[in-house]
Structures are given as structure tokens and as C-alpha cells.
Coordinates of all heavy atoms in Angstrom, one line a residue:
K1 N -5.0 8.1 3.0 CA -4.2 7.5 4.0 C -2.9 8.2 4.2 O -2.2 8.5 3.2 CB -3.9 6.0 3.7 CG -5.2 5.2 3.7 CD -4.9 3.7 3.5 CE -6.1 2.9 3.5 NZ -5.8 1.4 3.3
Q2 N -2.5 8.6 5.4 CA -1.3 9.3 5.7 C -0.2 8.4 6.0 O -0.1 7.9 7.1 CB -1.6 10.3 6.8 CG -2.6 11.4 6.4 CD -2.7 12.4 7.5 OE1 -2.2 12.3 8.6 NE2 -3.5 13.5 7.3
H3 N 0.6 8.1 5.0 CA 1.8 7.2 5.2 C 3.0 8.0 4.7 O 2.9 8.9 4.0 CB 1.7 5.9 4.4 CG 0.6 5.0 5.0 ND1 0.7 4.5 6.3 CD2 -0.5 4.5 4.5 CE1 -0.4 3.7 6.5 NE2 -1.1 3.7 5.4
T4 N 4.2 7.5 5.1 CA 5.4 8.1 4.6 C 6.2 7.1 3.8 O 7.3 7.4 3.4 CB 6.3 8.6 5.8 OG1 6.5 7.5 6.7 CG2 5.6 9.7 6.5
F5 N 5.6 5.9 3.5 CA 6.3 4.9 2.7 C 5.3 4.1 2.0 O 4.2 4.0 2.4 CB 7.3 4.1 3.6 CG 6.6 3.1 4.5 CD1 6.4 1.8 4.0 CD2 6.2 3.5 5.7 CE1 5.7 0.9 4.9 CE2 5.5 2.6 6.5 CZ 5.3 1.3 6.1
V6 N 5.8 3.4 0.9 CA 4.9 2.5 0.2 C 5.9 1.5 -0.4 O 7.0 1.8 -0.8 CB 4.1 3.2 -0.9 CG1 5.0 3.9 -2.0 CG2 3.1 2.3 -1.6
E7 N 5.4 0.2 -0.5 CA 6.3 -0.9 -0.9 C 5.8 -1.5 -2.2 O 4.6 -1.6 -2.5 CB 6.4 -1.9 0.2 CG 7.2 -1.4 1.4 CD 7.3 -2.5 2.4 OE1 6.8 -3.6 2.3 OE2 8.1 -2.3 3.4
T8 N 6.7 -2.1 -2.9 CA 6.4 -3.0 -4.1 C 7.1 -4.3 -3.8 O 7.6 -4.6 -2.7 CB 6.9 -2.4 -5.4 OG1 8.3 -2.3 -5.4 CG2 6.3 -1.0 -5.6
E9 N 7.1 -5.2 -4.8 CA 7.7 -6.5 -4.6 C 9.2 -6.4 -4.4 O 9.8 -7.3 -3.8 CB 7.3 -7.4 -5.8 CG 5.9 -7.8 -5.9 CD 5.6 -8.7 -7.0 OE1 6.5 -9.0 -7.8 OE2 4.4 -9.1 -7.2
S10 N 9.8 -5.4 -5.0 CA 11.3 -5.3 -5.0 C 11.8 -4.1 -4.2 O 12.9 -4.2 -3.7 CB 11.8 -5.2 -6.4 OG 11.2 -4.1 -7.1
V11 N 11.2 -3.0 -4.1 CA 11.7 -1.8 -3.5 C 10.7 -1.2 -2.5 O 9.5 -1.5 -2.5 CB 12.2 -0.8 -4.5 CG1 13.3 -1.3 -5.4 CG2 11.0 -0.3 -5.3
R12 N 11.2 -0.2 -1.8 CA 10.4 0.5 -0.8 C 10.6 2.0 -1.1 O 11.8 2.5 -1.3 CB 10.8 0.3 0.6 CG 10.0 1.1 1.6 CD 10.6 1.0 3.0 NE 10.3 -0.4 3.5 CZ 11.1 -1.0 4.4 NH1 12.1 -0.4 5.0 NH2 10.8 -2.2 4.8
Y13 N 9.5 2.8 -1.2 CA 9.6 4.2 -1.4 C 9.3 4.9 -0.1 O 8.3 4.6 0.6 CB 8.5 4.7 -2.4 CG 8.6 4.1 -3.8 CD1 7.9 3.0 -4.1 CD2 9.3 4.8 -4.8 CE1 8.0 2.5 -5.4 CE2 9.4 4.3 -6.1 CZ 8.7 3.1 -6.4 OH 8.8 2.6 -7.6
V14 N 10.3 5.7 0.4 CA 10.1 6.5 1.6 C 10.1 8.0 1.1 O 11.0 8.4 0.4 CB 11.2 6.3 2.6 CG1 10.9 7.1 3.8 CG2 11.5 4.9 2.8
Y15 N 9.0 8.7 1.4 CA 8.8 10.0 0.7 C 8.3 11.0 1.7 O 7.8 10.7 2.8 CB 7.8 9.9 -0.4 CG 6.4 9.4 0.0 CD1 5.4 10.4 0.3 CD2 6.1 8.1 0.1 CE1 4.1 10.0 0.6 CE2 4.8 7.7 0.4 CZ 3.8 8.6 0.7 OH 2.6 8.2 1.1
Q16 N 8.4 12.3 1.3 CA 7.9 13.4 2.1 C 7.4 14.5 1.1 O 8.2 14.9 0.2 CB 9.0 14.0 3.0 CG 8.5 15.2 3.8 CD 9.6 15.7 4.8 OE1 10.4 14.9 5.3 NE2 9.6 17.0 5.1
P17 N 6.2 14.9 1.2 CA 5.7 16.0 0.3 C 6.3 17.3 0.6 O 6.5 17.6 1.8 CB 4.2 16.0 0.6 CG 3.9 14.7 1.4 CD 5.1 14.4 2.1
M18 N 6.6 18.1 -0.4 CA 7.2 19.4 -0.3 C 6.4 20.3 -1.3 O 6.8 20.4 -2.4 CB 8.7 19.4 -0.6 CG 9.5 18.6 0.3 SD 11.3 18.8 0.0 CE 11.4 18.4 -1.7
E19 N 5.3 20.9 -0.8 CA 4.4 21.7 -1.6 C 4.0 20.9 -2.9 O 3.3 19.9 -2.7 CB 5.1 23.0 -2.0 CG 5.4 23.9 -0.8 CD 6.0 25.2 -1.2 OE1 6.2 25.5 -2.4 OE2 6.4 26.0 -0.2
K20 N 4.4 21.2 -4.1 CA 4.0 20.5 -5.3 C 5.0 19.4 -5.7 O 4.8 18.8 -6.7 CB 3.9 21.5 -6.4 CG 2.8 22.6 -6.2 CD 2.7 23.5 -7.4 CE 1.7 24.6 -7.2 NZ 1.6 25.5 -8.4
L21 N 6.0 19.2 -4.8 CA 7.0 18.2 -5.2 C 7.0 17.1 -4.1 O 6.4 17.2 -3.1 CB 8.4 18.8 -5.3 CG 8.4 20.0 -6.3 CD1 9.8 20.7 -6.2 CD2 8.2 19.6 -7.7
Y22 N 7.8 16.0 -4.4 CA 8.1 15.0 -3.4 C 9.6 14.8 -3.3 O 10.3 14.8 -4.3 CB 7.5 13.6 -3.9 CG 6.0 13.5 -3.7 CD1 5.1 13.4 -4.7 CD2 5.5 13.4 -2.4 CE1 3.7 13.3 -4.5 CE2 4.1 13.3 -2.1 CZ 3.3 13.2 -3.2 OH 1.9 13.1 -3.0
M23 N 10.0 14.6 -2.1 CA 11.4 14.1 -1.8 C 11.3 12.6 -1.6 O 10.6 12.1 -0.6 CB 12.0 14.8 -0.6 CG 13.4 14.3 -0.2 SD 14.6 14.8 -1.4 CE 15.5 13.3 -1.7
V24 N 11.9 11.8 -2.5 CA 11.7 10.3 -2.5 C 13.0 9.6 -2.3 O 14.0 9.9 -3.0 CB 11.0 9.8 -3.8 CG1 10.7 8.3 -3.7 CG2 9.7 10.6 -4.0
L25 N 13.0 8.6 -1.4 CA 14.2 7.7 -1.2 C 13.7 6.3 -1.7 O 12.6 5.9 -1.2 CB 14.7 7.7 0.2 CG 15.1 9.0 0.9 CD1 15.7 8.7 2.2 CD2 16.1 9.7 0.0
I26 N 14.5 5.7 -2.5 CA 14.2 4.3 -3.0 C 15.2 3.4 -2.3 O 16.4 3.5 -2.5 CB 14.2 4.2 -4.5 CG1 13.3 5.2 -5.2 CG2 13.9 2.8 -4.9 CD1 13.4 5.2 -6.7
T27 N 14.7 2.5 -1.4 CA 15.5 1.6 -0.7 C 15.1 0.1 -0.9 O 14.1 -0.1 -1.6 CB 15.4 1.9 0.8 OG1 14.1 1.5 1.3 CG2 15.6 3.4 1.1
T28 N 15.9 -0.8 -0.4 CA 15.6 -2.2 -0.5 C 14.5 -2.4 0.6 O 14.4 -1.7 1.6 CB 16.8 -3.1 -0.3 OG1 17.4 -2.7 1.0 CG2 17.8 -2.9 -1.4
K29 N 13.8 -3.6 0.5 CA 12.7 -3.9 1.4 C 13.3 -4.3 2.8 O 12.5 -4.2 3.8 CB 11.8 -4.9 0.9 CG 11.0 -4.5 -0.3 CD 10.1 -5.5 -0.8 CE 9.0 -5.8 0.2 NZ 8.0 -6.7 -0.3
N30 N 14.5 -4.7 2.9 CA 15.1 -5.2 4.2 C 15.8 -4.1 4.9 O 16.5 -4.3 5.9 CB 16.0 -6.4 4.0 CG 17.1 -6.0 3.0 OD1 17.2 -4.9 2.5 ND2 18.0 -7.0 2.8
S31 N 15.7 -2.8 4.4 CA 16.4 -1.7 5.1 C 15.6 -1.3 6.4 O 14.4 -1.6 6.5 CB 16.5 -0.5 4.2 OG 15.3 0.0 3.9
N32 N 16.2 -0.6 7.3 CA 15.6 -0.2 8.5 C 14.8 1.1 8.3 O 15.3 2.1 7.9 CB 16.7 0.1 9.6 CG 16.1 0.3 11.0 OD1 15.0 0.9 11.1 ND2 16.9 -0.1 12.0
I33 N 13.5 0.9 8.5 CA 12.5 2.0 8.2 C 12.8 3.3 9.0 O 12.7 4.4 8.6 CB 11.1 1.6 8.3 CG1 10.1 2.7 7.8 CG2 10.8 1.2 9.7 CD1 10.3 3.0 6.4
L34 N 13.3 3.1 10.3 CA 13.5 4.2 11.2 C 14.8 5.0 10.7 O 14.8 6.2 10.6 CB 13.8 3.7 12.6 CG 12.6 3.0 13.3 CD1 12.9 2.6 14.7 CD2 11.4 4.0 13.3
E35 N 15.8 4.3 10.2 CA 16.9 5.0 9.6 C 16.6 5.6 8.3 O 17.1 6.7 8.0 CB 18.1 4.0 9.4 CG 18.7 3.4 10.7 CD 19.9 2.5 10.4 OE1 20.2 2.4 9.2 OE2 20.4 1.9 11.4
D36 N 15.7 5.0 7.6 CA 15.2 5.6 6.3 C 14.6 6.9 6.6 O 14.8 7.9 5.9 CB 14.3 4.7 5.6 CG 15.0 3.4 5.1 OD1 16.2 3.4 5.1 OD2 14.3 2.4 4.7
L37 N 13.7 7.0 7.6 CA 13.0 8.2 7.9 C 13.9 9.3 8.4 O 13.8 10.5 8.0 CB 11.9 7.9 8.9 CG 10.7 7.0 8.5 CD1 9.8 6.7 9.6 CD2 10.0 7.7 7.3
E38 N 14.9 8.9 9.2 CA 15.9 9.9 9.6 C 16.7 10.5 8.5 O 17.0 11.7 8.4 CB 16.8 9.2 10.7 CG 17.8 10.2 11.3 CD 17.1 11.2 12.2 OE1 16.0 11.0 12.7 OE2 17.6 12.3 12.3
T39 N 17.1 9.6 7.6 CA 17.8 10.1 6.4 C 16.9 10.9 5.5 O 17.4 11.9 4.9 CB 18.3 8.9 5.6 OG1 19.1 8.0 6.4 CG2 19.2 9.3 4.4
L40 N 15.7 10.6 5.4 CA 14.7 11.4 4.6 C 14.6 12.8 5.1 O 14.6 13.8 4.4 CB 13.4 10.7 4.5 CG 12.3 11.5 3.8 CD1 12.6 11.6 2.3 CD2 10.9 10.7 4.0
R41 N 14.6 12.9 6.5 CA 14.5 14.3 7.1 C 15.7 15.1 6.8 O 15.6 16.3 6.5 CB 14.3 14.1 8.6 CG 12.8 13.8 9.0 CD 12.6 14.0 10.5 NE 13.2 12.9 11.2 CZ 12.6 11.8 11.5 NH1 11.4 11.6 11.1 NH2 13.3 10.8 12.2
L42 N 16.9 14.5 6.8 CA 18.1 15.2 6.4 C 18.1 15.6 5.0 O 18.5 16.8 4.7 CB 19.3 14.3 6.7 CG 20.7 15.0 6.5 CD1 20.8 16.3 7.3 CD2 21.8 14.0 6.9
F43 N 17.7 14.8 4.1 CA 17.6 15.2 2.7 C 16.6 16.3 2.5 O 16.9 17.3 1.7 CB 17.1 14.0 1.8 CG 18.1 13.1 1.3 CD1 18.4 11.9 2.0 CD2 18.9 13.4 0.2 CE1 19.4 11.1 1.5 CE2 19.9 12.6 -0.3 CZ 20.2 11.4 0.4
S44 N 15.5 16.3 3.2 CA 14.5 17.4 3.1 C 15.0 18.7 3.6 O 14.6 19.8 3.2 CB 13.2 17.0 3.8 OG 12.7 15.8 3.2
R45 N 15.9 18.6 4.6 CA 16.4 19.9 5.2 C 17.5 20.5 4.3 O 17.8 21.7 4.3 CB 17.0 19.6 6.6 CG 15.9 19.3 7.6 CD 16.6 18.9 9.0 NE 17.4 20.0 9.5 CZ 18.3 19.8 10.4 NH1 18.5 18.6 11.0 NH2 19.0 20.8 10.9
V46 N 18.2 19.6 3.5 CA 19.2 20.1 2.6 C 18.7 20.9 1.5 O 19.3 21.9 1.1 CB 20.0 18.9 2.0 CG1 20.8 19.3 0.8 CG2 21.0 18.3 3.1
I47 N 17.5 20.6 0.9 CA 17.0 21.3 -0.3 C 16.8 22.8 0.0 O 17.2 23.6 -0.8 CB 15.7 20.6 -0.7 CG1 16.1 19.2 -1.2 CG2 15.1 21.4 -1.9 CD1 14.9 18.3 -1.6
P48 N 16.1 23.2 1.1 CA 16.0 24.7 1.3 C 17.3 25.4 1.5 O 17.3 26.6 1.3 CB 15.1 24.8 2.6 CG 14.4 23.5 2.7 CD 15.4 22.5 2.1

């Protein structure tokens, strides 16, 4: 299944695969998923 986030009872993981690694953001469950994805893209652009 192609998703960019996964949730547990307490937190939400927003992630992006980068070859053999993952860029992962851990947020609260009530955070805005659209803002989370935008922030994730900025984090992924910073690493290269």
C-alpha cells in the first residue's frame, strides 16, 4: 500500500523513502496532515 503516513494510538508518522533510508516526521494525531506533508518535503530537500 502506497501511503505517506501511518498512525498509532498516540502519534502519527509522516515519512518519505530516500533510497535505502527514510525521512520520518513524528507528529501528534491532531496535526494538519497537509502541513505535515509540506514540511516533510522541505526536510527531504534539505538533506541533499
